[in-house]
Amino acid sequence: MDTLRKLLVTVATIGAATSPNLLGAQSLAPPRALLPIDFPNSAEYGWLAKPVHASRVLDDMTQPANWKLTGAGTLSFPDAPRLSDMRALRVDMRLNRPPLPERPRLPAINLRRTVANEDWSAFNRISIWIRPDYTGVPVLPLQLVMHNDGAVKVPDRYNREGTHVITLQKNGWQQVTWEIEPLARDRVTLIEIGYFVNRMIANPDDRVAFEVGRIELQKVDPDVHTGWSVAPGKFAFSHSGYQVDSRKSAIANGLTASHFDVVRVGDIAFGESVLRKSVQQVTTPTGAFQQLDFSELTTPGRYVLRVGSAISKPFVVNDTAWLPSIWKSLNFYYGNRCGFDVPGVHGIDHLDWFATLGDKRITMSGGWHDAGDLSQGVINTGEGTYAMFALAERLMTEGRHPALVDRLIEEATWGLDWVLRVRFDGGYRIGFGSHNFWSNNIVGDADDRSVEAKNNPNANYISAAAGAIGARVLRTRDPARAAEALRIARDDWAHAIVGIEGPSTWHTPAFAAARMELASIGITASLELWRATGEAQYRDKAVELARIVMASQQVTRVGSTLPLSGFFYTGPDRDTIFHQFHRAADQAPIVALTQLIDALPGHADWMPWYATVVRYAEYQKRTARVTAPYEVLPAYVYRAVDSVQVPDSGGRYLEKQSEYAEQVRAGTPMGDGWYLRTFPVWFQRRGNYGVLLSQAKGLSAASRMRGDRDGLELATRQAEWVVGRNPFTQSTMYGEGYDWAQQYSVSSGDMVGTLPVGMQSRGTSDLPYYPSQNMYVYKEVWVHSSNRWLWLMEDLLPHAQGPAQGSASADTLALTSSTAANGDITLRLTVSGAGMHRYTLRTDNLRLRTPAQATQSVTLQAGAPATLTWTVRRDRSDAPWVAVVLEEGSRRRADRYEH
């Protein structure tokens, strides 16, 4: 290990343009094992246990002529049977060994088995026996492809539907199943097995081969894969559990009993119920459901739901319900580290991958691999670093969970070191660098790779924010690192404020930032530096950028049947609605403004900031009604006319005008040509956790700031959707809860705590779609989803001192309103307590009848609530109004919104 550390330090500083080496002892803590995978709780375990109602052998490997192999491998059919009597084919890969061409390619093969236009409609599952046989790579992923030449072609035009990737992490025979229920299979013509070795240059003792045994077509009871309905007998609930004071509910279909019981685990054999209630029959825009609401249950413990003979899997009720998911997420980051010896995954890696600027270069090794491949960049690593420090700081402030704080800071520091080191003078950084193989760490040979640095303001703002918060959190723990982080954050910020966002500064358009988004991220970076230094230039820049954000919001209502306001455009010209479809930063404007509201309570723009936040949060709460009872946040508002912006030839992700418009019209009509879609309009790249979790973070930040319990509950519903309270009753965090399935992690393999890009919709529909097939990008492991998960947890974990700093519970400060026939609005503040208090009303789109009465005083007697009133009128009838009352001398407030 000492030798490897010296090697890492040596290579890390090759051609370094600015920063000294910052890879300290804290970052290079001794390796430890990853969390074990509890396979019996996986979806694969359940799939293998399903009864097979009918089957047919497709290939028993006794007819070699059925198979054709192309590529860097040899095909054979061993004489000796496998597993007693099973015959098999074997593929031995030809690995790249010296001498090599200047630019060798990854060894890849394609194995094909033709099918004579067969109708497989009577079957809905393919079963294959496979034995990997390898050393020198962490995992062996095989890509299975089914071709159908009927009216519906498979694979689809994006090569997503009809493709299933399995990642084999151990040697030995394994049965792999693939439910093909969603796929057209009336005229099947071909089965393919593809593979590439993601190691460019093999070591002398590397070996990669695999064997394929019997292939069967089977008929089973399939999993739900499309739509909102839950399979009969299943429960859609939060597998992570529920916090003590939160709302608690599960969703079902097809239950026959009229009552349900909540049973403490351990008591179930005796049938003892701690709570019995009626099963509610609910009808919503998404369909008819049965809902089990057990919010009354506040006693910590482990429970199950029982309805007749149907019993749910166990869940917890306690205020640490979300903590295991945080620890598991950190396990993923640890396993996804680049440049670190991760036991069971890889050794120190990518020392021969370089960020370059002219003749200067710095090793890219470090931080976290970006996705299911091995990419890396400061945008994702910087955002992960920020989220971890933010969560750690909150817990430190409250003196809670010290072991988790230490672990968060350890992992955040690993990311921070990369942010501080991989940069060049002048604001040049690597926003994103694509990489998809394990290199040999030898500088100067054929598998070296490089990425040219660019001066991108988004990358610099994110780096500045990560550096500034790191400096604050580490100030007493690691003063030297904190000082260096602050120095570099200042420099990043100085380049960001004059930087240009555009194609010439992007490493990939997927990380492009619109003007509104860039201003939002700039506010956070500026405020973090102001908090760290107290210098007015940072505060003033944040205030300046906030005007861009506010001017980019839709303030007046649009749509006649579902009128909405509060969403954002890409900039103050408001000609393009702000949309994302993959990686997203929807939280940016709201988080930024809540930070301003907290930092500058006396500023003249405080009320416009506050109103902007409230309008967006209330927009989210209103739109979530469309997806009840799940209350998953819809993606965006669209206009069908915007399809003309799409080139007829097909855009960057293969979209066309007609298909764009068709997706828009599949959403919920709002009237007047406006639509609300649950899922983004998208094409080749699908998966919505980037959008959903960033929007959830915006809502949670707004709700914490407002002291809005309903908003926090809605943000919690988004986390619950991810971990099982969804139509597929699956947790989609690997290793958390139940029925989590393998994700697209073809380089590093399965790790507890991974999150995919997210659920998708199919074709032009707006229905949830989450089939068993495993394919990028929707099931691809991405750091971005985990970044947003950890940042969301900063708000969802219960606070030690009640709902939120600066808010008051409803029984001490409550604001209500009523409207008279003449249009006068009466605002009533009910307060209780003792002593003299002063309250000031601030408003947006309201005028006080008597402006001098904006501030009122009251002397309170214990046990005797008092009421203060203000009379106001709405300025504009086509826009919502916002009122907030603040208590002088404290940060308590109560607000009121009317659409």
Side-chain angles (χ1 to χ4, degrees):
M1 179 57 69
D2 289 340
T3 301
L4 287 172
R5 289 185 185 180
K6 291 176 182 177
L7 176 63
L8 178 58
V9 170
T10 300
V11 179
T13 56
I14 293 176
T18 53
S19 306
N21 173 51
L22 291 164
L23 298 173
Q26 183 176 2
S27 295
L28 289 175
R32 54 182 174 271
L34 292 174
L35 293 176
I37 297 171
D38 186 11
F39 184 69
N41 282 327
S42 69
E44 286 82 1
Y45 184 88
W47 294 338
L48 291 173
K50 283 187 176 183
V52 177
H53 304 306
S55 66
R56 170 194 146 197
V57 175
L58 177 66
D59 202 304
D60 62 3
M61 302 304 162
T62 60
Q63 302 296 319
N66 287 341
W67 293 91
K68 302 297 181 185
L69 178 73
T70 58
T74 58
L75 174 63
S76 62
F77 289 81
D79 293 332
R82 271 54 173 157
L83 296 179
S84 299
D85 61 350
M86 185 174 69
R87 303 302 295 270
L89 64 76
R90 180 180 176 90
V91 175
D92 289 274
M93 300 295 299
R94 292 193 301 271
L95 305 182
N96 292 334
R97 304 185 192 277
L100 298 168
E102 182 178 351
R103 296 287 288 185
R105 301 179 66 181
L106 295 174
I109 60 94
N110 181 259
L111 186 62
R112 300 163 66 91
R113 203 275 193 192
T114 58
V115 179
N117 295 319
E118 293 183 359
D119 185 352
W120 290 1
S121 301
F123 303 96
N124 56 15
R125 187 167 86 168
I126 299 174
S127 168
I128 306 181
W129 286 89
I130 300 175
R131 184 177 79 88
D133 180 14
Y134 64 92
T135 61
V137 291
V139 293
L140 193 155
L142 295 182
Q143 178 173 284
L144 311 179
V145 185
M146 186 189 80
H147 291 257
N148 188 74
D149 197 30
V152 177
K153 307 300 182 188
V154 178
D156 67 347
R157 61 187 292 217
Y158 307 121
N159 287 313
R160 302 297 195 260
E161 291 288 277
T163 302
H164 179 50
V165 177
I166 54 171
T167 305
L168 303 161
Q169 290 185 270
K170 62 181 184 299
N171 295 319
W173 282 102
Q174 301 156 55
Q175 183 185 10
V176 174
T177 63
W178 173 18
E179 289 192 8
I180 56 174
E181 176 74 19
L183 303 175
R185 51 195 186 279
D186 58 319
R187 193 179 178 189
V188 180
T189 60
L190 179 67
I191 292 291
E192 290 182 283
I193 300 177
Y195 173 60
F196 73 91
V197 180
N198 62 344
R199 187 170 183 83
M200 187 68 73
I201 302 177
N203 291 321
D205 57 349
D206 289 351
R207 179 188 76 255
V208 179
F210 64 89
E211 296 183 352
V212 178
R214 183 172 58 253
I215 303 177
E216 287 187 3
L217 301 177
Q218 299 177 338
K219 181 175 180 58
V220 297
D221 294 329
D223 286 359
V224 169
H225 52 75
T226 305
W228 296 99
S229 293
V230 178
K234 294 288 189 74
F235 298 87
F237 68 99
S238 173
H239 296 183
S240 295
Y242 303 84
Q243 295 180 157
V244 169
D245 291 331
S246 73
R247 283 169 39 199
K248 307 170 187 71
S249 67
I251 302 163
N253 288 101
L255 299 176
T256 57
S258 60
H259 291 79
F260 73 94
D261 292 282
V262 182
V263 182
R264 185 185 293 274
V265 171
D267 297 340
I268 190 168
F270 306 99
E272 294 181 6
S273 173
V274 300
L275 178 66
R276 166 166 279 209
K277 291 185 66 178
S278 296
V279 175
Q280 298 173 318
Q281 307 292 327
V282 297
T283 300
T284 74
T286 58
F289 304 89
Q290 294 166 308
Q291 184 163 276
L292 288 59
D293 190 304
F294 48 102
S295 300
E296 301 94 326
L297 181 64
T298 58
T299 302
R302 195 161 182 257
Y303 301 91
V304 296
L305 301 173
R306 184 177 63 199
V307 186
S309 61
I311 299 175
S312 75
K313 292 177 179 177
F315 58 87
V316 299
V317 172
N318 58 47
D319 280 340
T320 59
W322 294 116
L323 287 185
S325 74
I326 297 173
W327 283 101
K328 291 172 183 177
S329 295
L330 290 170
N331 178 77
F332 159 59
Y333 283 97
Y334 175 77
N336 210 36
R337 285 184 183 184
C338 178
F340 189 83
D341 183 6
V342 182
V345 181
H346 61 77
I348 292 177
D349 60 296
H350 292 128
L351 300 178
D352 49 359
W353 183 23
F354 296 98
T356 61
L357 184 65
D359 60 353
K360 302 181 179 67
R361 63 177 180 172
I362 306 170
T363 181
M364 289 273 286
S365 183
W368 302 291
H369 295 134
D370 179 77
D373 54 21
L374 300 170
S375 303
Q376 168 60 301
V378 76
I379 289 178
N380 277 342
T381 287
E383 288 184 338
T385 298
Y386 186 93
M388 291 177 201
F389 276 131
L391 177 54
E393 184 177 42
R394 201 213 106 177
L395 295 176
M396 286 172 61
T397 301
E398 297 182 354
R400 307 173 72 198
H401 309 300
L404 179 56
V405 168
D406 289 343
R407 181 69 188 89
L408 284 163
I409 291 176
E410 176 204 346
E411 202 62 42
T413 302
W414 176 262
L416 178 65
D417 284 349
W418 193 90
V419 171
L420 301 183
R421 179 175 58 80
V422 184
R423 63 187 302 274
F424 297 92
D425 285 336
Y428 285 84
R429 286 185 167 277
I430 305 298
F432 174 81
S434 180
H435 206 310
N436 201 26
F437 64 87
W438 300 106
S439 58
N440 65 359
N441 290 335
I442 298 174
V443 177
D445 64 12
D447 72 349
D448 292 3
R449 293 292 181 268
S450 64
V451 187
E452 186 75 5
K454 297 185 178 184
N455 189 342
N456 178 270
N458 187 26
N460 282 318
Y461 271 140
I462 289 170
S463 301
I469 194 173
R472 191 170 64 251
V473 174
L474 296 176
R475 185 165 290 156
T476 58
R477 286 180 174 239
D478 192 342
R481 187 183 259 110
E484 182 67 358
L486 184 57
R487 181 186 73 80
I488 291 176
R490 287 175 177 272
D491 190 60
D492 282 318
W493 182 87
H495 293 293
I497 63 172
V498 297
I500 298 173
E501 173 78 24
S504 65
T505 70
W506 297 335
H507 283 95
T508 168
F511 289 86
R515 187 182 177 195
M516 179 278 296
E517 180 184 355
L518 185 64
S520 303
I521 296 166
I523 293 169
T524 292
S526 300
L527 286 176
E528 290 294 354
L529 278 163
W530 180 65
R531 292 179 66 187
T533 67
E535 295 177 15
Q537 63 170 331
Y538 301 120
R539 176 201 62 203
D540 294 346
K541 175 57 72 171
V543 171
E544 173 191 332
L545 293 173
R547 297 187 184 111
I548 297 174
V549 175
M550 291 188 293
S552 302
Q553 189 176 47
Q554 176 68 38
V555 175
T556 58
R557 293 183 291 275
V558 297
S560 55
T561 57
L562 178 60
L564 295 173
S565 63
F567 55 89
F568 286 96
Y569 293 83
T570 57
D573 52 13
R574 299 196 302 166
D575 62 352
T576 303
I577 303 172
F578 180 75
H579 296 145
Q580 297 287 359
F581 58 88
H582 181 34
R583 181 196 172 272
D586 293 58
Q587 85 295 330
I590 303 306
V591 168
L593 293 181
T594 60
Q595 291 170 330
L596 268 172
I597 290 164
D598 182 65
L600 304 174
H603 196 277
D605 288 343
W606 188 94
M607 189 60 208
W609 299 336
Y610 196 95
T612 303
V613 170
V614 171
R615 281 191 292 264
Y616 183 75
E618 294 294 331
Y619 154 79
Q620 291 182 297
K621 291 161 73 172
R622 187 174 178 85
T623 61
R625 301 173 193 170
V626 170
T627 62
Y630 299 96
E631 299 176 298
V632 63
L633 292 174
Y636 298 107
V637 167
Y638 291 88
R639 297 173 292 199
V641 296
D642 291 339
S643 63
V644 299
Q645 298 176 4
V646 178
D648 268 327
S649 58
R652 181 162 47 91
Y653 295 109
L654 308 183
E655 66 268 33
K656 293 183 178 180
Q657 282 187 16
S658 60
E659 294 166 337
Y660 187 102
E662 190 175 354
Q663 284 198 52
V664 169
R665 288 192 293 267
T668 301
M670 296 167 50
D672 304 329
W674 295 82
Y675 294 84
L676 176 70
R677 272 189 62 92
T678 299
F679 292 92
V681 170
W682 45 19
F683 297 88
Q684 185 183 44
R685 288 190 172 186
R686 302 192 175 210
N688 79 326
Y689 284 178
V691 173
L692 180 68
L693 291 175
S694 65
Q695 290 182 346
K697 173 61 186 181
L699 176 61
S700 67
S703 302
R704 279 288 175 200
M705 182 272 293
R706 299 174 65 194
D708 178 12
R709 179 169 179 172
D710 288 341
L712 279 174
E713 288 287 357
L714 182 56
T716 300
R717 296 295 86 73
Q718 314 317 303
E720 292 176 350
W721 171 270
V722 171
V723 293
R725 195 177 178 273
N726 56 60
F728 317 109
T729 66
Q730 285 190 15
S731 170
T732 57
M733 176 180 284
Y734 195 85
E736 171 73 352
Y738 311 102
D739 299 321
W740 30 269
Q742 192 170 78
Q743 298 165 6
Y744 187 90
S745 183
V746 295
S747 296
S748 302
D750 304 325
M751 287 181 279
V752 169
T754 60
L755 280 174
V757 170
M759 293 182 192
Q760 61 164 326
S761 61
R762 191 180 192 189
T764 59
S765 78
D766 199 24
L767 297 173
Y769 178 53
Y770 205 65
S772 67
Q773 68 187 17
N774 181 26
M775 186 55 175
Y776 61 86
V777 294
Y778 68 101
K779 284 197 177 178
E780 185 175 359
V781 171
W782 259 57
V783 164
H784 175 71
S785 299
S786 297
N787 290 349
R788 296 292 181 256
W789 182 268
L790 286 184
W791 206 7
L792 176 62
M793 289 300 132
E794 178 195 7
D795 298 317
L796 295 194
L797 290 182
H799 281 243
Q801 302 299 323
Q805 183 183 9
S807 68
S809 57
D811 61 345
T812 59
L813 204 66
L815 187 64
T816 59
S817 65
S818 60
T819 304
N822 67 354
D824 282 354
I825 301 169
T826 301
L827 298 170
R828 295 179 177 84
L829 180 72
T830 302
V831 295
S832 60
M836 201 276 282
H837 297 262
R838 289 170 59 86
Y839 298 94
T840 298
L841 173 69
R842 297 185 184 181
T843 62
D844 182 87
N845 197 31
L846 292 175
R847 285 178 293 108
L848 262 171
R849 281 287 198 181
T850 309
Q853 294 181 354
T855 299
Q856 298 185 38
S857 301
V858 63
T859 300
L860 300 174
Q861 302 295 326
T867 299
L868 302 177
T869 62
W870 292 265
T871 302
V872 296
R873 288 188 71 89
R874 189 194 293 255
D875 285 329
R876 297 188 58 174
S877 62
D878 60 350
W881 59 257
V882 181
V884 57
V885 175
L886 299 95
E887 183 179 76
E888 188 176 291
S890 80
R891 306 194 74 171
R892 296 191 298 172
R893 54 181 171 257
D895 68 41
R896 184 75 177 169
Y897 167 92
E898 186 170 302
H899 186 66

